[in-house]
């Protein structure tokens, strides 16, 4: 097999061979029209000119501000869910914080391996979850749903061992082998200019060609509003958007010749 790290390294090497330039451990701070098309301001005072820009910053998971979470992150506490992580919880008790589709899908998958899976939901219902997922969860004997409940404390000696939950009937400490936090994500788009339209949650609005409201600037992956929020989808959008960029650049050249 090929690990994720190896795949990423090979992609890096291939892009480098084809002439791509990488700027590492820096942040993009500004984006504005100018120069040959756009000027991108990079932390440290560097400015790069570009004829087109593809935004692929992804999102940041909302953090769970509970004692013990930060200390045990990666040691039984996880943000998001990966199928490859499920097997390590075989025979254990797993908890998922969240009530949307992503949490429901994770619960169904983890239930194949864990002795029990518990969805911890602050709300009074699973109304944000698709009906088919709700029915599937109802049909799994080892999936429990605790409504009106939240995590109060996370504890363990170098590894997650127990959680304290607060629900309608009071506080309860339960054994836990895994805790998956799936309470939404926020786009890394605060630095974008106001000319780029975003929805009420800050995700970038883009058309069928992935072009934003600023011509020549494209958005792909989790950052884009109404995207699928899956790795395979983001990779697919990344490969397709290159075609649209070439078409955009061709149209710019045609207009320049006409002018």
């Amino acid at each position: 097999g090929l690990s994720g790290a190896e795949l990423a390294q090979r992609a890096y090497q291939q892009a480098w061979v084809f002439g791509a330039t990488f700027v590492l451990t820096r942040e993009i701070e500004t984006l504005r029209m100018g120069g040959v098309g756009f000027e991108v301001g990079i932390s440290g005072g560097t400015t790069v000119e570009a004829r087109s820009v593809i935004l692929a910053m992804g999102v940041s998971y909302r953090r769970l501000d509970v004692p013990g979470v930060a200390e045990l992150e990666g040691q039984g506490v996880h943000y998001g869910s990966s199928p490859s992580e499920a097997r390590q919880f075989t025979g254990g008790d797993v908890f998922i914080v969240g009530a949307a589709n992503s949490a429901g899908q994770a619960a169904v998958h983890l239930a194949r391996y864990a002795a029990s899976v518990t969805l911890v939901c602050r709300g009074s219902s699973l109304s944000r979850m698709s009906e088919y997922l709700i029915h599937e969860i109802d049909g799994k004997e080892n999936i429990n749903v605790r409504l009106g409940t939240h995590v109060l404390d996370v504890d363990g000696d170098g590894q997650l061992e127990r959680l304290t939950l607060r629900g309608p009937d009071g506080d309860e400490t339960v054994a836990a082998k895994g805790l998956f936090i799936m309470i939404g994500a926020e786009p890394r788009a605060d630095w974008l200019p106001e000319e780029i339209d975003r929805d009420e949650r800050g995700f970038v609005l883009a058309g069928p060609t992935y072009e934003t409201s600023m011509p020549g600037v494209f958005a792909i992956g989790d950052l884009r509003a109404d995207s699928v929020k899956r790795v395979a989808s983001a990779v697919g959008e990344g490969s397709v958007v290159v075609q649209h960029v070439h078409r955009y650049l061709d149209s710019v050249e045609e207009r320049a010749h006409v002018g």
Side-chain angles (χ1 to χ4, degrees):
L2 189 67
S3 70
E6 288 178 288
L7 181 62
Q9 181 63 26
R10 292 189 185 187
Y12 172 89
Q13 291 172 337
Q14 185 178 30
W16 181 79
V17 168
F18 279 99
T21 299
F22 292 85
V23 180
L24 305 177
T25 66
R26 299 286 186 88
E27 292 185 358
I28 304 298
E29 296 179 335
T30 59
L31 170 63
R32 59 179 178 271
M33 298 184 70
V36 299
F38 302 94
E39 292 181 351
V40 180
I42 303 175
S43 60
T46 304
T47 299
V48 176
E49 292 187 344
R51 298 172 63 200
S52 181
V53 175
I54 300 174
L55 304 174
M57 297 92 71
V59 296
S60 297
Y61 285 110
R62 291 197 180 98
R63 315 303 285 183
L64 184 64
D65 188 16
V66 168
V69 167
E71 292 79 5
L72 293 175
E73 189 172 334
Q75 304 299 321
V77 176
H78 303 273
Y79 283 91
S81 174
S82 170
S84 62
E85 296 169 339
R87 291 182 183 275
Q88 66 179 290
F89 299 102
T90 299
D93 299 312
V94 176
F95 292 77
I96 300 172
V97 180
N101 282 348
S102 57
Q105 290 163 352
V108 171
H109 179 69
L110 286 163
R112 300 174 186 172
Y113 304 95
S116 71
V117 177
T118 302
L119 277 168
V120 181
C121 314
R122 278 184 175 270
S124 57
S125 71
L126 295 177
S127 58
R128 294 171 55 205
M129 193 176 294
S130 298
E131 284 294 327
Y132 82 91
L133 271 176
I134 294 175
H135 290 314
E136 194 164 0
I137 287 171
D138 287 342
K140 299 282 187 181
E141 293 184 358
N142 63 335
I143 298 182
N144 308 302
V145 179
R146 299 187 59 157
L147 301 174
T149 303
H150 64 274
V151 178
L152 197 63
D153 187 71
V154 175
D155 191 28
D157 185 11
Q159 183 73 30
L160 176 65
E161 296 174 0
R162 65 192 72 86
L163 305 174
T164 300
L165 305 177
R166 174 166 292 176
D169 298 325
D171 297 351
E172 179 185 3
T173 298
V174 295
K177 189 173 183 179
L179 173 65
F180 290 86
I181 302 166
M182 310 184 75
I183 52 178
E186 297 176 344
R188 301 168 180 168
D190 292 344
W191 58 273
L192 291 175
E194 59 183 16
E195 291 88 346
I196 295 180
D197 293 339
R198 280 156 279 180
D199 66 12
E200 66 279 0
R201 296 182 297 163
F203 289 88
V204 176
L205 297 171
T209 64
Y210 306 114
E211 191 170 25
T212 70
S213 55
M214 179 180 280
V217 178
F218 299 79
I220 61 172
D222 290 3
L223 171 76
R224 185 175 62 84
D226 298 323
S227 62
V228 178
K229 305 295 186 290
R230 291 291 183 272
V231 171
S233 175
V235 172
E237 291 178 12
S239 62
V240 171
V241 76
V242 174
Q243 284 185 312
H244 298 305
V245 170
H246 283 301
R247 290 171 185 167
Y248 165 77
L249 295 177
D250 288 341
S251 69
V252 170
E253 290 184 3
E254 288 176 8
R255 290 196 297 269
H257 289 314
V258 171

